[in-house]
Amino acid sequence: MTPVPFDDRDGTIWLDGSFVPWREARLHVLSHGLHYGGAVFEGVRVYGGRPFKSVEHAERLRDSAREMNYELPYAEAELDAVTREIVRREGIEDGYVRPVAWRGSEQLGVSGAGTFVHVAVAAWEWPHVFADGAQEHGIRLKTSRWRRPAPDTAPVRAKAASLYAIGTLARDEAEAAGYDDALLLDHRGRLAEATGANLFLVVDGELHTPVPDGFLDGITRRTVIALAGELGLTVRVRPIEPAELALADEVFLTGTAYEVQPVSAVDDRAYEVGKTTRRLAEAYGRLVREG
Ligand code: PMP
């Protein structure tokens, strides 16, 4: 069955201050954001009809826009209210919200000066990111030949569309090789993250996660670090070399869409879905549904 394309669905999308019919939420082919990769975006998960950490996501969208050298024309509180309203209008129970901002068509030079910043928010039902059973059995990662760029070569702190060009290349190669996702190293060759999630290793019952100095410091990552503290687990945030994967008893990823996602293999090395990962996945599952 061919999936319904994203531009041909029923419903409503919020675009530049108005709620418009889904199919009419369009941008022009000569949009600055399309040509020069200046868009920034967010992904917000909806549980039981409620967006989780919607304000934090709106704040990150603002910060990402600033990293790209522009200001959003809407305040975080407005974007939070729009997120809640679009979820309500679309009747989303378990789903995903995609706020996105980009520069318009006022001029098409490389400079961003003089462009109008557009913002849209769309939402749809999307209960799980990986196939059924992935939460139970884990996913398989392939170390990518693509790396996360150095902080002086790209806006690495932003959730910037331009950075996802690397993610798409890495993910396509990993999937073509029979894996579920790619594991990217940073510019120094240290462990960084997956294409849409942060990385944790469990070593002797302690959590180890890379310093987020060259990739997105995920909202889920921070939430899971706090939950681990509440569960009495030690968390070590430190530079981690790929060779340390050999010392890990468990590996998992965290992200808004991935949630706490167990990893069953990195390249040829297999991992159990262990009790620390399960404890954190359960604690996260409780938090998102019960607050
Ligand atoms: N890294 C990348 C590249 C991502 O796309 C995401 C998903 N937003 C994450 C990490 C995890 O971030 P968060 O927990 O805020 O969703």
Side-chain angles (χ1 to χ4, degrees):
M1 200 181 72
T2 328
V4 184
F6 272 94
D7 62 354
D8 191 17
R9 299 184 177 192
D10 296 329
T12 302
I13 289 176
W14 184 87
L15 173 62
D16 292 334
S18 318
F19 292 94
V20 301
W22 190 286
R23 293 178 182 81
E24 290 171 26
R26 297 196 172 277
L27 69 158
H28 197 270
V29 291
L30 298 180
S31 293
H32 196 283
L34 176 65
H35 292 251
Y36 304 120
V40 296
F41 65 97
E42 273 303 319
V44 186
R45 203 59 202 250
V46 181
Y47 296 95
R50 285 184 310 164
F52 183 63
K53 295 199 184 264
S54 163
V55 173
E56 283 88 338
H57 285 283
E59 288 170 353
R60 189 168 68 187
L61 189 72
R62 172 203 63 200
D63 295 344
S64 295
R66 286 181 182 161
E67 291 281 331
M68 300 307 287
N69 215 16
Y70 59 88
E71 285 291 326
L72 299 180
Y74 304 96
E76 299 83 79
E78 284 175 279
L79 292 174
D80 174 44
V82 165
T83 297
R84 290 172 193 284
E85 176 60 13
I86 205 87
V87 165
R88 192 193 66 74
R89 283 188 184 224
E90 294 299 293
I92 308 292
E93 271 299 305
D94 282 316
Y96 187 77
V97 186
R98 170 56 59 88
V100 57
W102 67 97
R103 288 188 164 111
S105 312
E106 291 71 22
Q107 61 90 355
L108 211 51
V110 171
S111 152
T115 51
F116 180 84
V117 175
H118 298 268
V119 185
V121 182
W124 56 91
E125 290 283 347
W126 189 31
H128 293 293
V129 66
F130 290 106
D132 287 352
Q135 283 285 339
E136 188 67 16
H137 305 298
I139 59 167
R140 299 172 60 247
L141 303 182
K142 178 172 170 40
T143 305
S144 182
R145 68 192 173 96
W146 298 101
R147 290 188 176 187
R148 288 295 178 209
D152 59 356
T153 57
V156 293
R157 279 187 300 273
K159 193 164 167 63
S162 54
L163 293 171
Y164 285 82
I166 303 166
T168 302
L169 290 166
R171 178 82 179 236
D172 284 353
E173 281 191 3
E175 288 183 2
Y179 291 81
D180 300 297
D181 199 357
L183 174 62
L184 286 90
L185 308 181
D186 72 10
H187 61 285
R188 296 159 296 206
R190 293 175 180 157
L191 296 180
E193 58 172 356
T195 59
N198 293 119
L199 176 73
F200 286 79
L201 312 187
V202 182
V203 186
D204 296 331
E206 294 182 347
L207 299 188
H208 296 245
T209 192
V211 184
D213 57 2
F215 56 85
L216 200 68
D217 179 6
I219 293 170
T220 320
R221 173 185 180 279
R222 284 184 254 139
T223 305
V224 165
I225 288 174
L227 282 175
E230 288 169 24
L231 293 176
L233 296 166
T234 301
V235 183
R236 300 194 188 280
V237 181
R238 61 178 186 82
I240 307 179
E241 298 294 332
E244 298 188 52
L245 283 165
L247 309 174
D249 306 307
E250 302 172 35
V251 176
F252 64 89
L253 302 173
T254 62
T256 297
Y258 290 54
E259 304 175 299
V260 175
Q261 173 59 58
V263 170
S264 59
V266 178
D267 303 318
D268 295 335
R269 186 181 304 280
Y271 295 97
E272 298 278 309
V273 179
K275 71 173 191 305
T276 304
T277 303
R278 287 197 200 284
R279 271 180 87 195
L280 287 163
E282 280 163 25
Y284 187 74
R286 271 195 305 276
L287 178 72
V288 296
R289 297 205 168 265
E290 292 156 23

